[in-house]
Amino acid sequence: MLDKCGYPIISKETAERLGRLQKPTCSQRAKERLLEGIMADGRKTQFVLAKKWRFLIDAPFMIGSGCCHHMKISPFKKYEKETGRIAPILGTMTAESKLREQKWLKNGCNAFNAKRTVSAPISFWTDADVWSYLRQYDVPYSKIYDMGYHRTGCVFCALGAQMDKSPNRFQRLKVTHPQIWYYCMKPKEDGGLGMREILEYVGIPFE
Ligand code: SF4
């Protein structure tokens, strides 16, 4: 997946923009839009690649966030098609990302008129609300949260890792799951995921 879609770093939107700019086929028009915000019709958009991440365009590895599409969105779409269950109920929260906040501001908790009908009833909950609910109703939860992790997901995912407080997710992984950490950091040619090179390049500590 990493070979096909690139490494997910910084944020989904940034990884996607970087991935496009890295492609030799990226057109001049696309570059103008992604770097200067000039649209095809001459209008300006504010969605440009942040200057501080532009050095990553020349990184010696591919960047992207297409893995989310292949590993999450696409299987769900297939499931919806096969079962006819077309209105998912999601546990996403606006506190998790700017993108989720924007979606909620646009559609609310129940997006009937969006491209896809979805319900995200805890959109406006905070982490504290979730914990309070779990404790009040004695809801079982993964013990990974008691090891200091705030989120679950793909263990090597570096989206948002630059904002982690110390110890960050990779430093923590080394302590709680050293074998998985080692597999993540090992060079790809030795059968690992090659994260050491990526994190060093971006400037994210990992041990
Ligand atoms: S959570 Fe997993 S699928 Fe989503 S961007 Fe990160 S690595 Fe990719």
Side-chain angles (χ1 to χ4, degrees), residues 1-2 6 8-9 12 64-72 152-159:
M1 195 51 64
L2 292 170
I9 54 171
K12 236 182 224 177
S65 58
C67 45
C68 237
H69 175 80
H70 290 289
M71 291 168 70
K72 295 178 179 171
T152 59
C154 304
V155 80
F156 61 88
C157 184
L159 290 185

